[in-house]
Amino acid sequence: MSAQSSTSVTLPDAREAFEHVSAHIAEHGIEPETLGSAHHRFRYEGSTIQLRHDGAALTIALEAPSPNMLYFLKEAAALHVAEIDPVAAESLRWSDQLAPVHQPVNFSELTLIRRSRPIRGVTRLTLEADDIGSLADGGLHVKLMLPADRTRTPVWPSVAANGVTKWPKGDDRLHVRYFTLKSLRPEIGEVDIDVVEHPGGMISDWALEAAPGDRIGVMGPGGGHPPEQQEGLLLAGDMTALPPIARILESLSAEASGHLVVAFPENADPASYLPPTALELRTVAPERFRQEVLSIVQAIGAERRIQNAWFGGEHANAQALRQLFKRDFALGQGAQLSVAYWREGRRGDARRETD
Ligand SMILES: Cc1cc2nc3c(=O)[nH]c(=O)nc-3n(C[C@H](O)[C@H](O)[C@H](O)COP(=O)(O)OP(=O)(O)OC[C@H]3O[C@@H](n4cnc5c(N)ncnc54)[C@H](O)[C@@H]3O)c2cc1C
């Protein structure tokens, strides 16, 4: 379902804003089509962003494949305008949002149905919501959220008139962390999210203690698109990255080839968790993974040409592997991605507005 919206915002120097927002979009590797000196069009994963200026006003016209993606684009546009002129960004209004909107279109509350343990060290949350179908498109990851003060009744995010998410502050602030939708069953309104158990983590503790009927906030989905180049693949990750790796494997064609290096408990059968794959699998015990992953991947790269590499895991590993992918494997943007999923000794912070 295609969704559209537009806005026109008056600025002291609309040309500067046009160039600033255009440059920001281009930084994400999305090149503009120049339709005139004052008119750019960008195409990104089924969405179209058009920017125009006439010296006094910047006009932004958006078309997206889903309301969820449109919400994301509107918020990004308003935040980019705010970098140039925060007051003008406050006054910005969208053509599809003339009446107040109370909750972000991509927000919902999920209710726990049951907990299980697909593998040692991982709690599976099976959750339900009325509109679970809205989680099916647009990406693999969501933000899960709970009140940072667990004794308080949740105050969920709302939407400002300019389309930007308003995050509760102070005593009502939220604890927000990224997780991956492991499996979706929209026909029965269920989704599975697998949480790596690490005592002291708020979401991890909730996963271990929650009872059927307990609720948690979710926003998304977004991000985590499968690699385009499917030959010479290298996928690697610790247990937090097993859910996205499973989803990526499900999406690969039969011709996909390459290597898979994952943290997986000893004496457990990877086939019980990961879908069938032609990629060569190497499992490493979770307690050794962080020490060993770099040299294992280096050795694979020394023997075979890696054409597309992906890693998800602890911050220091992610940095080392990013460098390896770029420098030793000579992989450019779009052919490699190494993401810090968590950081030793540091509470993550998915959004600055939260704890
Ligand atoms: C795109 C993306 C997708 C992700 N998908 C998943 C997923 O599907 N499943 C999943 O389990 N995680 C996933 N993660 C990682 C998850 O967001 C972090 O582990 C997060 O910190 C957990 O939140 P928490 O509230 O439990 O702990 P926090 O309050 O954030 O952290 C508390 C303490 O625990 C430590 N810590 C955090 N994670 C771990 C860990 N895994 N092992 C050991 N110590 C840890 C921190 O360093 C900190 O000291 C994903 C991250 C990203 C960026």
Side-chain angles (χ1 to χ4, degrees):
M1 180 187 29
S2 158
Q4 297 173 352
S5 190
S6 63
T7 187
S8 193
V9 56
T10 305
L11 294 155
D13 190 344
R15 183 189 182 85
E16 184 197 9
F18 172 81
E19 282 167 2
H20 175 81
V21 180
S22 293
H24 254 281
I25 300 173
E27 271 172 24
H28 293 284
I30 312 162
E31 289 303 321
E33 295 165 49
T34 303
L35 305 176
S37 61
H39 186 182
H40 283 164
R41 181 168 61 200
F42 299 84
R43 294 177 201 268
Y44 170 69
E45 291 181 2
S47 299
T48 309
I49 305 158
Q50 292 202 56
L51 301 179
R52 280 197 194 88
H53 79 87
D54 63 6
L58 174 72
T59 301
I60 306 171
L62 306 171
E63 187 168 350
S66 65
N68 184 350
M69 188 65 182
L70 183 69
Y71 181 85
F72 170 78
L73 293 176
K74 281 163 51 182
E75 178 168 46
L79 291 173
H80 283 334
V81 172
E83 285 168 10
I84 288 275
D85 190 330
V87 177
E90 282 282 321
S91 69
L92 181 156
R93 297 292 177 271
W94 294 98
S95 59
D96 70 324
Q97 193 187 320
L98 298 174
V101 176
H102 298 295
Q103 269 187 343
V105 64
N106 60 353
F107 175 85
S108 48
E109 268 185 286
L110 298 176
T111 305
L112 183 70
I113 309 176
R114 63 182 169 277
R115 291 187 289 132
S116 52
R117 222 165 180 236
I119 42 179
R120 196 166 64 247
V122 174
T123 296
R124 172 162 297 165
L125 301 171
T126 298
L127 302 141
E128 70 174 350
D130 295 340
D131 59 347
I132 215 103
S134 67
L135 295 176
D137 295 319
L140 303 185
H141 309 300
V142 289
K143 291 171 191 157
L144 289 184
M145 58 194 81
L146 293 167
D149 176 350
R150 292 286 307 285
T151 63
R152 294 181 76 84
T153 305
V155 175
W156 298 124
S158 56
V159 187
N162 67 354
V164 171
T165 306
K166 282 205 295 195
W167 291 91
K169 294 197 187 313
D171 290 345
D172 288 329
R173 76 189 191 285
L174 295 167
H175 176 96
V176 184
R177 298 292 184 265
Y178 279 102
F179 283 83
T180 306
L181 301 166
K182 168 66 171 63
S183 339
L184 278 144
R185 294 174 293 282
E187 64 292 355
I188 51 168
E190 287 185 2
V191 59
D192 292 335
I193 296 180
D194 289 354
V195 179
V196 173
E197 297 157 9
H198 59 101
M202 187 184 281
I203 306 275
S204 166
D205 287 350
W206 188 88
L208 286 167
E209 295 157 6
D214 287 356
R215 292 162 85 81
I216 190 164
V218 64
M219 260 174 104
H225 300 286
E228 281 170 23
Q229 168 64 47
Q230 301 199 354
E231 279 168 45
L233 267 180
L234 181 280
L235 303 177
D238 69 13
M239 300 242 292
T240 60
L242 287 175
I245 287 176
R247 296 279 310 266
I248 292 171
L249 293 177
E250 279 164 12
S251 72
L252 295 181
S253 69
E255 288 75 44
S257 63
H259 294 261
L260 185 56
V261 181
V262 291
F264 207 82
E266 280 172 315
N267 307 321
D269 178 11
S272 68
Y273 190 90
L274 296 170
T277 174
L279 269 57
E280 252 176 69
L281 172 65
R282 165 112 187 232
T283 60
V284 183
E287 50 285 2
R288 293 202 315 271
F289 183 85
R290 284 169 61 193
Q291 286 69 46
E292 295 183 9
V293 62
L294 182 64
S295 55
I296 294 172
V297 172
Q298 255 167 343
I300 293 172
E303 277 188 14
R304 301 276 168 79
R305 192 162 107 73
I306 304 297
Q307 298 179 55
N308 200 319
W310 186 99
F311 175 80
E314 204 278 327
H315 178 263
N317 280 155
Q319 281 191 314
L321 281 146
R322 187 177 308 124
Q323 227 196 346
L324 179 76
F325 295 165
K326 286 183 174 176
R327 196 193 51 205
D328 297 19
F329 295 178
L331 297 173
Q333 205 179 358
Q336 57 83 24
L337 186 66
S338 182
V339 185
Y341 269 26
W342 60 284
R343 187 167 180 169
E344 176 75 49
R346 165 102 55 106
R347 290 159 65 82
D349 94 318
R351 301 276 318 192
R352 260 174 283 132
E353 295 85 344
T354 64
D355 83 321

